[in-house]
């Protein structure tokens, strides 16, 4: 079974620029998550999708972050404009159902300078 | 609001020793997950615990869940250097397939 695919692996941008990350979940996994992991901390949930609908985006800074999952499969997370404090690893995860666990992608390491 | 606390946050230990990592959570839940993360890598699923009293073992690692105490433990038996990593617990509070992570325990095993 192919895992959760993410791209790019690394990205360096200047503050106030925009950036987008892409995620392709495991085939058949209806639920998709974006997490932000700041160095030395645990992952923080940003947004949860069920198929192409948003279940929870309460922790997403909506003034600068947006996410979509238009066809219920792959997803993009965008930051515009980026701030220095957005430097983190952005992890995508997918799940068939919580009782089976969650599979994480390799992440995108974002550095804002 | 669910809070997940791990302790210790950092642990340095000798090979061959036993130790336990603790995960406490603030609200009722019977779904708890343990993950391992190596430096610069993603999260690897270790255990899924879905009921009170659940115990799972894989190699030198054993995890258990006490929902009444709101406590999970990850026990390491006869540690080896390859187990050096950061270990996270995560809790699903409402069975809504949304997991909240602790801060992680960074484990360093000295050869």
């Amino acid at each position: 079974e192919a895992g959760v695919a993410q791209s790019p692996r690394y990205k360096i941008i200047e503050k106030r620029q925009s950036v987008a990350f892409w995620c392709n979940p495991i085939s058949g996994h209806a639920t998709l998550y974006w997490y932000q992991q700041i160095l030395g901390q645990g992952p923080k949930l940003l947004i949860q999708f069920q198929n192409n609908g948003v279940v929870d985006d309460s922790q997403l800074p909506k003034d600068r972050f947006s996410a979509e999952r238009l066809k219920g499969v792959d997803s993009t997370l965008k930051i515009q404009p980026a701030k220095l404090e957005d430097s983190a690893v952005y992890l995508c995860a997918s799940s068939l159902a919580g009782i089976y666990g969650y599979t994480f992608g390799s992440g995108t390491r974002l550095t804002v300078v | 609001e669910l809070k997940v606390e791990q302790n210790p946050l950092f642990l340095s230990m000798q090979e061959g020793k036993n130790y336990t990592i603790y995960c406490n959570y603030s609200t009722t839940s019977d779904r708890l997950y343990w993950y391992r993360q190596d430096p610069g890598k993603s999260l690897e699923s270790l255990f899924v615990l879905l009921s009170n009293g659940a115990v799972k073992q894989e190699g030198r690692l054993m995890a258990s869940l006490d929902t009444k105490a709101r406590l999970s433990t990850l026990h390491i038996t006869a540690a080896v250097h390859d187990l050096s990593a950061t270990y996270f617990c995560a809790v699903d509070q409402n069975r809504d397939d949304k997991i909240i992570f602790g801060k992680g325990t960074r484990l360093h095993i000295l050869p």
Side-chain angles (χ1 to χ4, degrees), chain A residues 10-66:
Chain A
Y10 306 93
K11 191 76 177 177
I12 301 175
I13 62 172
E14 295 182 349
K15 59 184 179 183
R16 292 187 290 274
Q17 285 188 324
S18 62
V19 64
F21 314 126
W22 175 82
C23 171
N24 189 268
I26 291 174
S27 178
H29 282 195
T31 312
L32 183 148
Y33 309 81
W34 284 102
Y35 282 85
Q36 178 193 59
Q37 187 176 24
I38 293 172
L39 186 64
Q41 298 183 19
K44 171 189 166 185
L45 179 66
L46 293 176
I47 189 167
Q48 176 187 3
F49 291 95
Q50 179 77 18
N51 296 309
N52 61 346
V54 175
V55 175
D56 185 344
D57 64 357
S58 58
Q59 298 297 307
L60 188 73
K62 298 181 187 63
D63 58 334
R64 299 185 299 106
F65 286 63
S66 63

Side-chain angles (χ1 to χ4, degrees), chain B residues 14-97:
Chain B
Q14 295 283 339
E15 276 193 329
K17 299 291 187 181
N18 303 332
Y19 209 80
T20 301
I21 299 171
Y22 298 89
C23 175
N24 290 91
Y25 52 97
S26 60
T27 61
T28 303
S29 174
D30 59 0
R31 291 189 179 184
L32 191 137
Y33 306 81
W34 283 97
Y35 287 87
R36 168 181 173 150
Q37 187 175 41
D38 292 292
K41 304 292 186 181
S42 190
L43 295 156
E44 173 192 354
S45 179
L46 295 175
F47 300 109
V48 178
L49 303 171
L50 299 175
S51 62
N52 184 41
V55 177
K56 291 195 175 180
Q57 184 167 3
E58 181 73 33
R60 300 174 186 273
L61 300 178
M62 183 174 71
S64 65
L65 177 61
D66 181 343
T67 60
K68 294 180 181 178
R70 298 177 187 170
L71 171 69
S72 180
T73 60
L74 180 66
H75 187 72
I76 302 154
T77 302
V80 294
H81 180 65
D82 286 351
L83 291 178
S84 296
T86 299
Y87 293 85
F88 291 95
C89 65
V91 178
D92 180 345
Q93 177 184 0
N94 299 314
R95 294 190 176 184
D96 57 1
D97 293 352

